[in-house]
Amino acid sequence: MSRSVMIPSRDSRGWSPSRPGPRSAGTFGHRRRWAGGVLAFVTALAVAACSSGSSSKPAGVAAPDPAASVTVTPGDDMTGVTLTDHVVVRANAPLADVSVAREASASEKTETGVLLGTFSADRRTWTSTGGLFSDSRYQVAATTGPAARIVGTKSVRTSFVTGVPAKSFKVSWDPVAGQTVGVGAPISLTFSAPAPDRAAVQRMLSVRTDPPVLGAWNWISNRLVVWRPQQYWAPGTKVHVEADLAGYDAGGGRLGVKDRAMDFVVGSAQISKVDAAAHIMQVFRNGQLLRTMPVSLGKPTSPSMDGPHNVLGKSPEVIMDSATVGIPKGNPDYYYEKVQWAVNYTSGGQYVHSAPWSVASQGRANVSHGCVNASRADAQWFYGISRLGDIVDIANTGRPPDTSQLGNFWSVPWAVWKAGSALPVSDQPETAAPTAPAASTVVPGASGASGASGPSAVPGATGAGGA
C-alpha cells in the first residue's frame, strides 16, 4: 500500500487573511519586527536628506535684505554731554541729509545756530566739525536715501543737552558788534585765562573784510592778541570777526564754552596832527581841516609821547592821580586833578583834555605832565567828535613811543608786527570778504562786550596820566 505525502503550499506556511486557520505567533512577530526596521531606516534617510548641519534654510535661498537704519551719538535725551564730544551719525545706507540745530541758551547768552559737519566718502557717516556750546540743547535730524539691497529709507530725530564745565575759556573784544570806529582801530581780543597754545588758539580766530585788507595778529601776551591792518583802514570798510572757541580744551579743566562773532564798520578818517614845537593841534576829517587848536604838551621833565596813537576811549571827567604812575604824594611833581572832556590815546594815561589852568601857555609853551592840554571849549568840541580808533599823531616831543602800551601799535613797523603772529602771515589780503553781517552770538550789553578800553572808559574813572 502506498502512501502519499502532502507538502503545504507557500500560502499555508503562514497566516493568510483569505484563509482561516491557526496563526503562528512566532512567524508574525518576526515579520513585524523586520518591516518596522525597514520603515525606520527609510524614515531616517528621508530626514537626513532634508537636513543641513550649517543652515536651517534650503540651499540656494538668499537672506532677506536689511531695513534702513540710523544711529546717532550722543544718544537721544542724553544730558551733561561733554563739550569736546562730536556728533556722529551712522547709517547702513547713504545719508541724504543731516542737520544739527542748536537752541538759544539764556545762561550763555547765545542765539540759535547750527552745527556743521562732514560726510564720509560713502556718505554713510556724518561727523561734526564745530565745537559744542555749553548748556545748550541740540536737535539732530537725519534721513537716508534709497540704496540697493536696503529696504526702504529711514528718518530719525534725536536731541541732547550739553553740560557746563567747572572752568571756562572765553574771550572779550574791542571793538564790539555794531560799532563804528576810526581808521586806526585795532581788533583786541582778551582771553579769560592764558592761552596754552597760541598757534592752536589763533587757528580759531578769523578776520574778514570788505574790501579785502592785509593784516596780521600779534600776541601782546598769552591773554591778549591784537589784529591790525598793515595801513590805516579805508573809511567804509566792513569787518567781520570770529572766535570759534566752543569745545576747545585749554587745559586745567578749562573749556571753550561757545563761539563768538561780530561785525563793525570803519567810519570817516579823523586824524589829528599835534606839533609839540608849534604848540598846535590840527584836526582833519577825510583830509579836510576842521579846526586848529592851540595846545600845551608835556614839559621837558615829563614830555608827551611821539607817534601815531589810536583813541582808546573817552570820558566827560577823569581823575588824574600821579601816584598811579610812580609820583607819590609829597613829591614836588605830585598832582591830583579832576579834568573834563578827556579823550584817552595811550594805556599809560595820556589824554587830550580840558585844562583851563594852562590856557595862557596853550599855543606858546609846553607845561603839562604829558597830556595834550586844550581850552574848555576846544576840548569839549574834540570830545564830541572823537571815537574809538581815531588817530592822534604827535610829533617833536623828543620822547619815543612806548609800544608796550595800548594805543601805540601804529609805531610798530609792519615786519616787526607780523613777526608777533603765532602762525605764518600771508602777504596777500584775505579774499573771502563778508557778504552780509553775521548774527552775533552775544546779547548786546552782555558782560565782556565793553565798548571802551582802559581806565578812562567810564565816567569818573581814575587816569594814570599827566594833567
Side-chain angles (χ1 to χ4, degrees):
M1 180 171 145
S2 63
R3 284 184 170 181
S4 62
V5 178
M6 296 182 67
I7 300 173
S9 68
R10 177 177 296 179
D11 292 332
S12 66
R13 292 177 186 173
W15 177 79
S16 171
S18 60
R19 213 178 207 184
R23 289 185 295 179
S24 168
T27 302
F28 177 73
H30 174 75
R31 283 193 172 187
R32 284 191 72 180
R33 286 194 298 270
W34 180 83
V38 171
L39 180 60
F41 177 72
V42 172
T43 302
L45 287 176
V47 171
C50 295
S51 301
S52 171
S54 60
S55 174
S56 61
K57 299 176 182 178
V61 177
D65 292 336
S69 64
V70 178
T71 59
V72 179
T73 305
D76 193 21
D77 290 331
M78 282 192 65
T79 59
V81 173
T82 304
L83 305 188
T84 53
D85 285 353
H86 289 279
V87 177
V88 181
V89 181
R90 294 184 176 89
N92 63 350
L95 290 158
D97 183 64
V98 175
S99 64
V100 182
R102 187 189 69 252
E103 296 182 4
S105 171
S107 64
E108 291 297 344
K109 299 181 177 66
T110 57
E111 300 173 0
T112 58
V114 297
L115 182 63
L116 302 180
T118 58
F119 290 96
S120 60
D122 61 2
R123 287 188 70 91
R124 295 182 182 230
T125 302
W126 182 94
T127 306
S128 63
T129 53
L132 298 179
F133 285 28
S134 170
D135 195 25
S136 300
R137 177 175 290 278
Y138 286 81
Q139 303 282 355
V140 184
T143 303
T144 65
R149 304 191 65 83
I150 300 295
V151 178
T153 59
K154 182 70 172 181
S155 294
V156 299
R157 288 184 177 275
T158 66
S159 68
F160 64 89
V161 178
T162 54
V164 179
K167 294 184 287 186
S168 61
F169 187 69
K170 298 182 178 182
V171 65
S172 59
W173 46 34
D174 236 3
V176 295
Q179 193 167 8
T180 299
V181 302
V183 295
I187 303 169
S188 300
L189 274 61
T190 303
F191 301 104
S192 59
D197 185 337
R198 294 183 180 185
V201 172
Q202 192 173 318
R203 288 188 185 95
M204 303 174 193
L205 312 177
S206 63
V207 176
R208 301 288 186 271
T209 65
D210 181 13
V213 173
L214 179 60
W217 294 102
N218 182 295
W219 286 85
I220 309 305
S221 72
N222 58 5
R223 289 190 58 185
L224 174 64
V225 62
V226 177
W227 195 95
R228 196 204 85 184
Q230 183 180 21
Q231 307 292 339
Y232 294 154
W233 298 102
T237 301
K238 299 175 182 178
V239 185
H240 177 74
V241 185
E242 292 186 9
D244 296 334
L245 302 177
Y248 173 65
D249 188 346
R254 293 188 181 276
L255 296 178
V257 295
K258 61 183 176 182
D259 296 340
R260 292 192 65 186
M262 65 97 169
D263 298 88
F264 66 89
V265 65
V266 180
S268 56
Q270 182 165 306
I271 299 175
S272 300
K273 297 286 187 178
V274 184
D275 188 338
H279 315 296
I280 60 171
M281 174 175 173
Q282 293 180 301
V283 182
F284 297 86
R285 178 175 291 169
N286 295 330
Q288 179 182 358
L289 179 62
L290 300 182
R291 182 178 292 202
T292 298
M293 302 161 42
V295 293
S296 177
L297 280 73
K299 57 188 176 182
T301 56
S302 55
S304 302
M305 194 182 300
D306 271 346
H309 314 284
N310 55 274
V311 170
L312 301 174
K314 61 183 184 178
S315 176
E317 183 175 277
V318 170
I319 296 174
M320 298 286 187
D321 186 353
S322 68
T324 63
V325 290
I327 306 175
K329 193 173 183 178
N331 188 294
D333 290 326
Y334 174 77
Y335 57 87
Y336 184 93
E337 296 282 353
K338 288 184 180 180
V339 302
Q340 284 72 45
W341 312 118
V343 176
N344 180 219
Y345 59 83
T346 75
S347 60
Q350 294 194 359
Y351 297 76
V352 177
H353 64 79
S354 169
W357 58 86
S358 69
V359 169
S361 298
Q362 292 166 19
R364 296 178 176 82
N366 295 322
V367 298
S368 82
H369 290 92
C371 290
V372 178
N373 287 184
S375 69
R376 185 183 298 276
D378 283 343
Q380 185 173 0
W381 172 84
F382 184 70
Y383 175 93
I385 66 169
S386 294
R387 60 188 165 199
L388 181 77
D390 287 346
I391 295 296
V392 178
D393 195 349
I394 301 176
N396 299 320
T397 70
R399 179 186 175 186
D402 180 356
T403 55
S404 68
Q405 294 184 15
L406 303 181
N408 297 331
F409 295 150
W410 287 106
S411 292
V412 179
W414 177 244
V416 176
W417 179 265
K418 67 180 185 178
S421 170
L423 298 172
V425 177
S426 172
D427 287 330
Q428 298 298 319
E430 175 59 60
T431 57
T435 56
S440 172
T441 58
V442 181
V443 175
S447 176
S450 171
S453 174
S456 64
V458 294
T462 300

